[in-house]
Amino acid sequence: MALLLSLVLLAAPPPRAAPSPDSLVIDVAGRIVVLRAADFAPLPRDTVRASFHDGPTLTYSGVRLTDVLRLVGVPIDSLHRPQLVQRLLVEAADGYRVVFSLAELAPGLGDRLVVVADRLDEQPLPAAEGPWRLLVPGDGEHARWVRQVTALRLRGD
């Protein structure tokens, strides 16, 4: 019996470490990729200027969501019929969630600009907003401007 238990324990996969607080979990149909700031460093950066509730204009910077999707192997530049129903669920630390269709993000289709920001006025995002914040300049309301983003989950039928 002890030998059997030892064999089962040896065959079991090692426990996965929890992602660090500064990581971004990307789930592409069950394939999990964990990205950190260093993974974003080689990507081109964009700047978004915004104000909230008639406050001062702030300058955020980060990388395009489409570049993040390319980085993890999502074929965002060449979607075909089965992928046109896929959606990207964005999750925040406080449980807030929003969704984007993959087609609305894809160049040549919706081409919606969405920025995964990590800096505010050239400084790292404050803890109340970061380490990642989603900015969607083309949206009329800021309902999909998600602070403290923890995960991106690509889903389809």
Side-chain angles (χ1 to χ4, degrees):
M1 182 68 166
L3 178 60
L4 180 59
L5 180 59
S6 296
L7 289 174
V8 168
L9 290 175
L10 288 174
R16 286 199 294 183
S20 66
D22 65 341
S23 64
L24 180 61
V25 173
I26 312 223
D27 176 352
V28 179
R31 183 177 58 88
I32 306 295
V33 178
V34 178
L35 298 178
R36 292 184 176 73
D39 298 310
F40 289 81
L43 300 176
R45 297 188 65 82
D46 278 292
T47 300
V48 174
R49 295 177 51 81
S51 63
F52 300 94
H53 310 293
D54 297 322
T57 299
L58 305 170
T59 303
Y60 289 90
S61 66
V63 300
R64 289 180 184 233
L65 181 55
T66 50
D67 288 337
V68 174
L69 294 173
R70 284 183 194 102
L71 184 65
V72 297
V74 174
I76 192 73
D77 297 301
S78 58
L79 298 183
H80 300 288
R81 286 182 190 229
Q83 294 147 329
L84 295 178
V85 297
Q86 289 184 321
R87 56 223 166 263
L88 186 70
L89 177 66
V90 179
E91 298 177 352
D94 64 0
Y96 191 69
R97 301 183 316 161
V98 300
V99 70
F100 295 86
S101 74
L102 200 57
E104 114 183 72
L105 300 172
L109 290 173
D111 204 19
R112 164 91 48 197
L113 173 63
V114 179
V115 174
V116 181
D118 60 350
R119 303 193 68 77
L120 170 60
D121 293 330
E122 300 184 22
Q123 299 298 316
L125 288 175
E129 290 192 56
W132 314 104
R133 180 177 187 129
L134 218 64
L135 305 167
V136 192
D139 278 2
E141 297 287 330
H142 290 166
R144 295 192 297 178
W145 291 45
V146 183
R147 59 187 167 87
Q148 295 180 325
V149 174
T150 57
L152 306 174
R153 300 187 191 282
L154 186 63
R155 298 292 183 252
D157 290 340

